């Protein structure tokens, strides 16, 4: 059976940072001749859907949904600026957006405001002009595929052919932008090549360098799994040659949706009371959506884990009781242990059975004693030979006669 697959040029997307669903793009008409497009976030084939609610996942995602319709706002502009900050993701989506931007009639200037890696570097190459900062990062690498289900040899051969064709298509896009031959580019892709703004300029991936403006704010998490660029988090697990010059930070920076003509900031509004800063939950959610989303997701994960563990424990409790139920005479005890007002474990059920057995034994002894007293056996006299030790036969006969006499007396008869 052929396995479904998804072709990627990057690791899995970072966790959704925002609390409300937001379009990944921001298309604005700046003036009569100028338009602006802001592309921040993970490149994905579609907006992720929350498994619990069925609603779109909040966060920064670059997806094709509705993008072509919104391009109508700038399609007739003479000059279009694309602000890009993405670590990549789905290759086919990246190629589709690249082609849509290339189809615009106006002059397209792509500004790499932070990072253009993997599939985002394909989008970047749609620019008639690519502008970078010295601290911008560009990364190209080969395609990878995410698989599930089973594959046979023919499936694998077809998949390899498809991946090879995809890499050739990407290399052709890079070739048209840079002029570097395809074989050299594929070698660079295989090695996972990272470039600073100046290096991208030198190799032809960029056309202009912005040295007179603020550099991108860039850092990595302490475990080197998340890259923060201008406040946006990017999952970089699986990438290998990340520049060692990126500083390591101890805490995550909040991701914030950039305005159409404004780079994102990390400043949070607060209220001051008694010399202390206070922030409501909604303010915190609005200003630091990544932090709030992370806390809420962890809470959901914890609740789900606790529920799963509780269900498993209850099933095990009932199974343990069932394993000993057949040996318990009083099945009401079993029912109460499972479903009664005071349910218990199999071990506690065993203790309850022992308690009930002990109580029954004590009652039996009490009844036996009472029967003995009522029988009159206590009135039976000494042995008939005057205390002289008797033979076993004589003693047995005497014992039998004593019981008969006691029985007759209890019935109102006479002693023989």
């Amino acid at each position: 059976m052929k396995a479904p697959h998804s072709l990627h040029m990057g690791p899995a997307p970072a966790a959704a940072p925002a609390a409300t669903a937001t379009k990944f793009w921001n298309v604005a008409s700046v003036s009569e001749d100028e338009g602006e497009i802001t592309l921040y976030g993970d490149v994905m084939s579609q907006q992720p859907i929350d498994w619990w609610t069925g609603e779109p996942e909040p966060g920064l995602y670059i997806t094709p949904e509705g993008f072509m319709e919104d391009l109508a706002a700038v399609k007739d502009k003479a000059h279009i600026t694309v602000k890009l900050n993405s670590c990549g993701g789905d290759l086919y989506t990246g190629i589709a957006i690249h082609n849509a931007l290339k189809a615009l009639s106006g002059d397209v200037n792509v500004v790499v405001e932070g990072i253009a890696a993997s599939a985002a570097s394909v989008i970047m190459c749609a620019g008639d002009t690519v502008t970078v900062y010295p601290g911008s990062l560009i990364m190209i690498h080969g395609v990878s595929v995410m698989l599930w289900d089973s594959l046979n040899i023919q499936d694998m051969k077809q998949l390899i052919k498809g991946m090879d064709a995809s890499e050739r298509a990407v290399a052709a896009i890079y070739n048209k932008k840079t002029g570097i031959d395809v074989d050299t580019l594929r070698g660079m892709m295989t090695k996972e090549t990272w470039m600073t703004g100046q290096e991208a300029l030198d190799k032809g991936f960029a056309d202009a360098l912005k040295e007179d403006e603020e550099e991108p704010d860039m850092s990595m998490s302490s475990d080197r799994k998340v890259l923060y660029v201008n406040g946006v988090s990017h999952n970089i697990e699986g990438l290998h040659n990340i520049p060692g010059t990126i500083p390591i930070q101890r805490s995550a920076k909040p991701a914030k949706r950039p305005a159409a003509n404004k780079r994102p900031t990390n400043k949070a509004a607060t209220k001051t009371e008694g010399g202390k800063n206070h922030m409501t939950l909604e303010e915190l959610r609005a200003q630091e959506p990544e932090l709030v989303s992370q806390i809420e997701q962890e809470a959901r994960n914890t609740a789900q884990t606790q529920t799963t563990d509780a269900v498993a424990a209850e099933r095990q409790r009932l199974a343990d009781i069932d394993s000993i139920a057949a040996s318990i005479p009083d099945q009401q005890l079993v029912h109460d242990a499972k479903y009664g007002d005071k349910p218990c474990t199999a071990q506690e059920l065993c203790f309850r059975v022992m308690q009930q057995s002990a109580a029954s034994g004590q009652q039996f002894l009490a009844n036996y004693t009472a029967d003995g007293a009522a029988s009159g056996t206590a009135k039976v006299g000494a042995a008939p030979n005057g205390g002289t030790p008797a033979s076993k036969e004589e003693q047995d006969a005497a014992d039998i006669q004593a019981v008969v006499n006691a029985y007759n007396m209890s019935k109102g008869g006479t002693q023989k």
Side-chain angles (χ1 to χ4, degrees):
M1 180 176 178
K2 189 172 183 179
H5 66 275
S6 176
L7 196 60
H8 292 265
M9 286 196 72
T20 55
T22 307
K23 286 183 179 180
F24 71 88
W25 63 86
N26 196 332
V27 180
S29 178
V30 178
S31 68
E32 184 177 345
D33 293 327
E34 293 181 274
E36 189 174 275
I37 303 172
T38 303
L39 298 177
Y40 271 56
D42 299 306
V43 179
M44 303 187 72
S45 59
Q46 63 182 16
Q47 178 87 7
I49 301 298
D50 188 289
W51 188 87
W52 294 98
T53 65
E55 297 295 324
E57 282 276 8
L60 302 179
Y61 303 106
I62 301 175
T63 73
E65 297 155 351
F67 183 62
M68 293 302 297
E69 291 80 359
D70 281 347
L71 279 180
V74 297
K75 69 176 183 178
D76 296 325
K77 303 293 183 182
H79 303 285
I80 301 165
T81 299
V82 179
K83 295 184 176 182
L84 181 62
N85 182 17
S86 172
C87 208
D90 184 74
L91 172 59
Y92 299 140
T93 300
I95 292 176
I97 293 176
H98 167 276
N99 294 340
L101 293 174
K102 288 293 286 186
L104 293 174
S105 59
D107 179 70
V108 177
N109 176 31
V110 176
V111 180
V112 181
E113 294 203 322
I115 185 171
S118 188
S121 67
V122 176
I123 296 174
M124 176 195 74
C125 289
D128 299 301
T129 303
V130 175
T131 303
V132 294
Y133 295 83
S136 298
L137 285 179
I138 314 296
M139 187 272 283
I140 65 173
H141 67 168
V143 300
S144 59
V145 62
M146 184 178 296
L147 301 172
W148 58 98
D149 211 335
S150 59
L151 294 91
N152 58 33
I153 293 177
Q154 293 304 317
D155 293 332
M156 293 296 293
K157 288 180 178 179
Q158 287 297 114
L159 184 60
I160 291 172
K161 287 181 180 179
M163 294 176 70
D164 181 70
S166 297
E167 282 204 3
R168 283 189 277 112
V170 172
I173 291 173
Y174 293 153
N175 167 262
K176 187 172 183 180
K177 178 62 184 174
T178 66
I180 301 173
D181 66 88
V182 170
D183 289 340
T184 300
L185 285 165
R186 292 198 67 175
M188 294 171 64
M189 292 164 65
T190 299
K191 293 186 295 185
E192 186 184 293
T193 300
W194 290 75
M195 295 167 275
T196 63
Q198 183 63 56
E199 290 168 339
L201 183 66
D202 294 340
K203 289 179 171 61
F205 285 90
D207 305 289
L209 192 67
K210 280 191 174 185
E211 298 185 90
D212 57 346
E213 295 189 28
E214 182 183 355
E215 283 287 315
D217 180 16
M218 197 173 301
S219 61
M220 272 196 300
S221 61
S222 58
D223 59 6
R224 298 179 180 271
K225 293 181 178 180
V226 181
L227 176 66
Y228 301 99
V229 186
N230 290 343
V232 178
S233 61
H234 305 278
N235 184 2
I236 53 175
E237 289 187 81
L239 302 182
H240 308 291
N241 301 324
I242 303 166
T245 56
I246 301 175
I248 304 296
Q249 66 173 33
R250 293 186 177 276
S251 60
K253 295 186 178 182
K256 187 177 179 181
R257 177 66 202 174
N261 58 356
K262 185 178 180 181
R263 296 177 66 191
T265 64
N266 295 323
K267 295 180 181 179
T270 59
K271 295 180 179 180
T272 302
E273 181 179 332
K276 297 182 179 180
N277 290 331
H278 297 273
M279 184 181 293
T280 66
L281 176 60
E282 291 308 315
E283 288 173 334
L284 181 62
R285 189 189 303 277
Q287 298 299 329
E288 300 192 28
E290 182 180 12
L291 176 61
V292 174
S293 178
Q294 181 180 354
I295 293 172
E296 290 176 338
Q297 184 60 49
E298 289 178 355
R300 286 194 294 268
N301 291 343
T302 299
Q304 184 177 3
T305 299
Q306 290 175 343
T307 300
T308 302
D309 291 346
V311 170
E314 177 63 9
R315 287 177 176 172
Q316 186 61 50
R317 184 184 75 86
L318 295 176
D320 290 343
I321 291 175
D322 287 338
S323 68
I324 63 172
S327 63
I328 299 175
D330 189 349
Q331 288 298 300
Q332 185 61 42
L333 283 178
V334 176
H335 181 274
D336 292 344
K338 285 182 173 182
Y339 315 113
D341 294 335
K342 295 181 180 180
C344 66
T345 65
Q347 292 83 352
E348 292 169 331
L349 174 59
C350 290
F351 182 70
R352 293 181 183 181
V353 173
M354 292 174 63
Q355 285 181 314
Q356 186 186 67
S357 297
S360 298
Q362 290 175 351
Q363 185 61 44
F364 172 78
L365 291 175
N367 292 341
Y368 184 82
T369 301
D371 290 344
S375 69
T377 55
K379 300 177 181 180
V380 177
N385 58 4
T388 301
S391 67
K392 183 176 185 305
E393 293 77 5
E394 292 174 336
Q395 185 62 51
D396 290 342
D399 291 341
I400 292 171
Q401 186 62 54
V403 171
V404 171
N405 292 341
Y407 177 79
N408 290 334
M409 289 292 292
S410 66
K411 297 297 183 179
T414 57
Q415 183 173 339
K416 299 282 186 176

